[in-house]
Amino acid sequence: MKIISPSGKAQPFSTKESTEIRNSLQKGQVIVYPTDTLYGLGADATSTKAVDTLYSLKSRENSPVSVLLSSNHQLFEMATALSNKAIELIKAFLPGALTIICRSDYGFAPQLISQKGTVGFRVPGDTISRGIPELFGKPITTSSVNPAGMIPASSRSEVEAYYANQIDLMIDIGPINPSRGSTVIDLSSSPFKILREGEISRQALQEFLN
């Protein structure tokens, strides 16, 4: 497994490292990268084959995983049928530890689209993870690093324990503190519905839930 340790500078990856990350994703490989909540499994979110590989690693079927974007602007380009209240919520909490569920006509791999035609989107609060889809030029998947039913990996040793020879590249920032993960809210329903309460509390979102 290739290990990349990002710098603390405005540009966390060297030219060589950026090329390695881009090449891995272009080849349909699954990488491990840090987010503002957990380490994530990243693959080309437009590639059916790459997403199949991810699902195999997760031992998971018929349960869409979310996609990670570089900015709110990219989210507004890909999401459809957002109400004014949904737009206000996005501007208030993203980038941040929130996954929003909404409709999209973008060309995602079909496994990532629910039966309702919705997709889960994340715009994390950290610059490292947001930089990956930017340098790749496409959205990537974001899902915790663990087989279904297991505890998410929070360090390189735990990633290797789960996927010793199955991950080609890891962006390693050291151990990540335990997290409740992102809060998941469905903006395609009326009223909006919290599907999982994570780092952002229900109370913080309360004004948007009525």
Side-chain angles (χ1 to χ4, degrees):
M1 183 168 62
K2 171 72 176 179
I3 301 297
I4 290 177
S5 298
S7 72
K9 301 177 181 178
Q11 297 293 335
F13 307 117
S14 68
T15 300
K16 179 182 177 182
E17 290 169 341
S18 295
T19 299
E20 290 173 333
I21 294 167
R22 188 183 301 111
N23 286 346
S24 290
L25 293 168
Q26 287 174 342
K27 291 176 183 176
Q29 296 172 351
V30 179
I31 69 171
V32 171
Y33 64 95
T35 74
D36 54 354
T37 55
L38 301 164
Y39 274 108
L41 289 170
D44 181 352
T46 68
S47 168
T48 299
K49 183 177 180 180
V51 175
D52 276 343
T53 301
L54 170 72
Y55 275 51
S56 178
L57 291 173
K58 294 283 290 186
S59 302
R60 180 175 181 174
E61 294 181 1
N62 301 321
S63 181
V65 300
S66 299
V67 298
L68 186 145
L69 305 179
S70 60
S71 66
N72 286 4
H73 176 72
Q74 189 177 32
L75 170 57
F76 290 134
E77 287 184 333
M78 294 183 179
T80 60
L82 288 173
S83 66
N84 289 335
K85 181 179 282 190
I87 292 171
E88 290 174 7
L89 182 147
I90 289 167
K91 289 180 177 179
F93 290 96
L94 293 179
L98 188 70
T99 298
I100 68 157
I101 308 295
C102 60
R103 300 186 187 282
S104 175
D105 296 328
Y106 187 76
F108 291 110
Q111 307 97 305
L112 303 180
I113 305 170
S114 75
Q115 292 181 347
K116 293 169 54 180
T118 58
V119 177
F121 289 102
R122 279 220 67 200
V123 184
D126 70 295
T127 57
I128 292 175
S129 62
R130 293 203 310 271
I132 298 172
E134 184 174 3
L135 69 86
F136 180 44
K138 297 180 185 180
I140 63 171
T141 61
T142 181
S143 181
S144 59
V145 185
N146 58 293
M150 305 295 284
I151 297 172
S154 60
S155 66
R156 176 180 171 183
S157 62
E158 292 177 358
V159 171
E160 291 175 333
Y162 283 144
Y163 303 120
N165 301 307
Q166 298 166 282
I167 298 294
D168 296 280
L169 184 148
M170 177 179 180
I171 299 168
D172 184 10
I173 62 168
I176 292 180
N177 292 328
S179 168
R180 299 176 65 191
S182 64
T183 296
V184 181
I185 186 167
D186 186 350
L187 302 185
S188 70
S189 64
S190 183
F192 303 152
K193 185 182 299 183
I194 293 178
L195 305 182
R196 182 184 74 194
E197 188 171 1
E199 289 296 314
I200 296 176
S201 69
R202 176 180 294 273
Q203 183 177 6
L205 294 163
Q206 194 61 47
E207 68 176 286
F208 296 98
L209 299 179
N210 300 321

